[in-house]
Amino acid sequence: MAATIKDISRETGLSLATISKYLNGGNVLPRNREKIDAAVEKLHYQVNEIARGLVTNRTRTIGVIVYNIASTFNGTLLSHIGHQLRRENYGMLICDSAQDLETEAQNVRFLMSKKVDGIIVIPVCTDPSSMAPAVEAGIPVVAIDRKLEGDFDSVLLNNRESSEKLITRLIKEGHRRIAIIGSSEEYTGVERERGYLAALEKAGISVPPEYIRLGVHTVEFGYAGMKELMALKERPTAVFSTNYDLNIGMVMALNELGIKSPEEVSLVGFDDFILPHVINPNLTVMKQPMREMGHAAVDMVLGRINGSIEGPAQVRVFDAELIEGNSDQPLWQDGIPEKHHESV
């Protein structure tokens, strides 16, 4: 037979009121908290979350919405978010928006019907309209990885600066014909393209329009983009891919074409998942601090819930780390570095 709150009272000698207060999130004396925790563990007492939610108006559940649950990036981020929520004794409800803004809006309404205490979202785009019902209801919303227009708490990567650092590396290696395969739709892709263009502009390098291949962050687009670049009469000597899925497509295309990297084309990209370590050559990439970003999003949404964070929207920006592989190399002419290599 399942243990009851009366059993805990008999075990601890504490009043039902004190035990109820603690189990429903209230503060009690440290010595009483220790007694109750010990009794809960000994008696295998299960808290009635529904009943507690009626008392506290909280479910200790956070809704997490991702733009595409099949994405390796999103799966990794969900793992870190879930780990931090468990540490804080919160549950997680996951919804997939399938790259569709209306589906994202439906997910918000679904999570509200489940009485979640807060929402963490990796949004489909920067349009904040889907979040309006949650905002109006006073439910904290934290955007992670992608920015929402307006005043939203956010956890972001320093995308422009990180991309600029990666392209500057290629420029210092003597590359001038540097192409990009990226996204014209996702916030991260747009910001990384801006970093790419900024680095080239600072170096006084003009970019032919055919070197800029922008679409969506998918394996298919990475594959098609690399095929198109390698078919050009004057191929780029280096290609920058702005996310993990594009990395995969890019490498698939080169393998199919029989083009070697870095001997025939240098490669650099984003995201340090399995691919950079299992292909030859290993990709040079910018690694995002996934664990830290996931934990920061949890801390931010819980801070809004418990009142430790108040006032205007907060934004936390993280830097990426350069992971050096051997997929890029300096350009050489007759065994001597190009003249402009040393001057950059």
Side-chain angles (χ1 to χ4, degrees):
M1 184 175 179
T4 68
I5 192 172
K6 290 182 179 180
D7 295 324
I8 295 177
S9 179
R10 282 192 290 268
E11 178 72 22
T12 61
L14 299 174
S15 69
L16 293 175
T18 297
I19 296 168
S20 178
K21 179 181 179 181
Y22 175 65
L23 294 178
N24 287 316
N27 292 320
V28 298
L29 293 173
R31 64 175 180 274
N32 291 340
R33 184 171 63 243
E34 292 174 4
K35 289 180 180 180
I36 296 170
D37 285 340
V40 166
E41 183 175 354
K42 177 180 178 180
L43 300 174
H44 304 292
Y45 176 78
Q46 296 295 317
V47 177
N48 187 327
E49 295 292 350
I50 296 176
R52 180 162 70 176
L54 292 173
V55 173
T56 64
N57 201 31
R58 292 184 183 176
T59 60
R60 298 193 70 82
T61 303
I62 301 299
V64 184
I65 305 174
V66 299
Y67 62 85
N68 178 10
I69 203 166
S71 162
T72 302
F73 173 85
N74 286 337
T76 303
L77 205 49
L78 283 171
S79 174
H80 293 304
I81 290 171
H83 178 265
Q84 185 69 355
L85 285 172
R86 287 192 298 275
R87 288 183 58 186
E88 299 292 340
N89 296 315
Y90 271 77
M92 175 171 65
L93 276 179
I94 303 170
C95 292
D96 180 13
S97 295
Q99 298 280 19
D100 180 69
L101 187 61
E102 177 53 36
T103 302
E104 184 176 86
Q106 293 172 5
N107 288 335
V108 171
R109 293 192 290 270
F110 168 77
L111 292 173
M112 291 178 66
S113 74
K114 297 301 179 183
K115 306 297 183 183
V116 296
D117 298 335
I119 294 174
I120 296 173
V121 58
I122 312 174
V124 170
C125 60
T126 59
D127 185 343
S129 59
S130 59
M131 299 296 135
V135 173
E136 292 170 4
I139 298 173
V141 175
V142 175
I144 182 171
D145 181 56
R146 299 177 172 188
K147 190 174 177 60
L148 286 169
E149 295 174 359
D151 296 326
F152 286 90
D153 291 324
S154 303
V155 177
L156 304 171
L157 186 77
N158 209 340
N159 288 288
R160 290 195 204 185
E161 288 77 1
S162 298
S163 296
E164 191 171 338
K165 180 177 180 180
L166 200 54
I167 301 307
T168 298
R169 172 188 173 92
L170 292 174
I171 294 170
K172 288 182 177 180
E173 290 176 341
H175 293 278
R176 291 299 181 271
R177 304 201 306 272
I178 304 171
I180 181 175
I181 304 176
S183 170
S184 58
E185 297 184 10
E186 288 93 347
Y187 166 81
T188 50
V190 172
E191 289 293 296
R192 291 167 192 175
E193 183 208 1
R194 289 172 177 167
Y196 159 83
L197 293 173
L200 294 173
E201 183 179 357
K202 286 180 181 179
I205 301 172
S206 59
V207 185
E210 60 269 24
Y211 280 9
I212 299 178
R213 302 286 165 165
L214 302 180
V216 291
H217 280 160
T218 64
V219 172
E220 293 77 13
F221 187 76
Y223 173 85
M226 182 57 87
K227 279 284 194 82
E228 292 166 356
L229 289 172
M230 294 300 99
L232 293 174
K233 184 175 181 180
E234 187 172 45
R235 291 178 181 173
T237 62
V239 180
F240 167 45
S241 162
T242 61
N243 98 322
Y244 181 72
D245 291 333
L246 293 178
N247 294 346
I248 296 174
M250 177 175 69
V251 172
M252 287 172 56
L254 288 185
N255 288 341
E256 185 175 304
L257 293 168
I259 296 174
K260 294 182 179 180
S261 174
E263 293 86 350
E264 296 177 79
V265 60
S266 287
L267 305 176
V268 294
F270 253 84
D271 298 321
D272 185 43
F273 300 129
I274 293 176
L275 179 67
H277 305 288
V278 298
I279 67 169
N280 186 20
N282 295 333
L283 284 184
T284 294
V285 295
M286 296 304 291
K287 178 181 179 180
Q288 302 190 61
M290 307 285 287
R291 177 180 176 275
E292 291 80 2
M293 291 174 68
H295 288 191
V298 170
D299 293 344
M300 196 172 284
V301 76
L302 296 187
R304 290 293 183 185
I305 291 168
N306 62 34
S308 62
I309 298 177
E310 297 179 338
Q314 296 191 359
V315 179
R316 287 200 61 185
V317 181
F318 288 84
D319 293 322
E321 176 189 0
L322 176 64
I323 304 297
E324 296 191 10
N326 56 350
S327 63
D328 61 311
Q329 66 178 11
L331 293 182
W332 300 88
Q333 290 184 345
D334 301 323
I336 301 174
E338 291 185 344
K339 292 180 181 179
H340 58 241
H341 172 59
E342 297 297 336
S343 63
V344 175

